[in-house]
Amino acid sequence: MASTIRRLTKAVAAVTRPRLRKGVVSPLLEVPSKIQKPPYYFRRNSSTMPLIQESNNIPILSEEEQKKMRESCRIASSVLEFACSLVKPGITTDEIDKIVTEEIFRHEAYPSPLHYHGFPKSICTSVNECACHGIPDNRALVEGDLISIDVTVYKNGFHGDTCKTVIVGEPKNPDALNKLIEVSYEATWTGIKSCGPNVSFRAIGDSIENFVKEEGMDVIPDFVGHGVGKDFHSMPTVHHTKNDSHDLMKPGMTFTIEPLVCEGSPEVAMWNDMWTVTTLDRSLVSQFEHTILITETGFDVLTFREEETAFGHQPSYKNN
């Protein structure tokens, strides 16, 4: 997820659960020599959150490139389901990261976050008030935690990107947590269903913000969706709130939609690891993410999960 983050200061409201604190991050994992690696693997940049380089050049994939993109997204979707199946009280996010890394290697793919601008792990695990980019560490998950797992894989020169939020164990307040997750999930799909050829990217932010605010919640505006394909992050910038973008969606464009929905204030702060972002009032955050391909007649959700059919969604849509 790309950032347009601003640094904010505000008094933090009292929250009964323990404050999320930085844990111990284990050493970097080795990548098998047979795994194709993205160019940044060899550069090993210092740790800094990436910003989308604004330009008028939005990549359009050829038919052959779209096939490769579909494969990367299929793997990312499968790995995300696998990762979420590991979530339980007592397991650490570091343990989840290690197991998921091996699963990605089993698909002969590369875990895109690893070494990206210095990120030290293969997935992002954002717990409770962590809005995004949580670094897996030795903190054990506890009953009632909320965790967002963000998976991106690199295969045959293309990145596939997706995310899902789940509840750990059996919470004491399931209704409140389920409501936040439901609003977050349907907000993402509200944005997705606004897509189509020659549609303004503004439509995504308009539809998401309207939906979320009608539900009495808020969208964190500092983080945006992005183009994805040969590059992990590229144009377009996909805002999840109302904006003045003039870009139009065209067939062959691939990008993510990934709003951060919070139950409290949307103001956030970044930790000194230059990655972890938490809400200032420590309110909970939920996130879902899909990679979208614009087609000649509508759009495809490349990271669609089969379980989503139960919620009335489908992997391919044609505009009327």
Side-chain angles (χ1 to χ4, degrees), residues 29 93-102 121-123 136:
L29 297 175
T93 50
D94 184 66
E95 289 171 326
I96 293 175
D97 179 80
K98 288 177 179 176
I99 297 170
V100 171
T101 300
E102 290 304 317
K121 292 295 173 183
S122 298
I123 60 175

Side-chain angles (χ1 to χ4, degrees), residues 195-217:
C195 294
N198 298 313
V199 173
S200 170
F201 279 98
R202 286 196 307 274
I204 297 172
D206 288 349
S207 61
I208 290 174
E209 182 173 343
N210 288 338
F211 175 82
V212 172
K213 291 200 169 179
E214 285 176 3
E215 296 292 336
M217 297 184 188

Side-chain angles (χ1 to χ4, degrees), residues 2 4 42 44 63-64 73 125-126 129 136 158 175 184 252 262 267 270-271 276 278 285:
T4 57
F42 303 97
R44 304 294 175 93
E63 289 293 329
E64 186 59 33
C73 288
T125 52
S126 302
E129 68 263 35
F158 288 84
D175 291 344
S184 170
C262 59
E267 295 183 332
M270 186 187 295
W271 289 9
T276 308
T278 54
V285 180

Side-chain angles (χ1 to χ4, degrees), residues 165-176:
T165 299
V166 296
I167 300 170
V168 180
E170 299 294 332
K172 294 180 180 179
N173 58 336
D175 291 344

Side-chain angles (χ1 to χ4, degrees), residues 42 65 108 189 287:
F42 303 97
E65 289 172 329
E108 297 186 347
W189 273 98
Q287 182 187 29

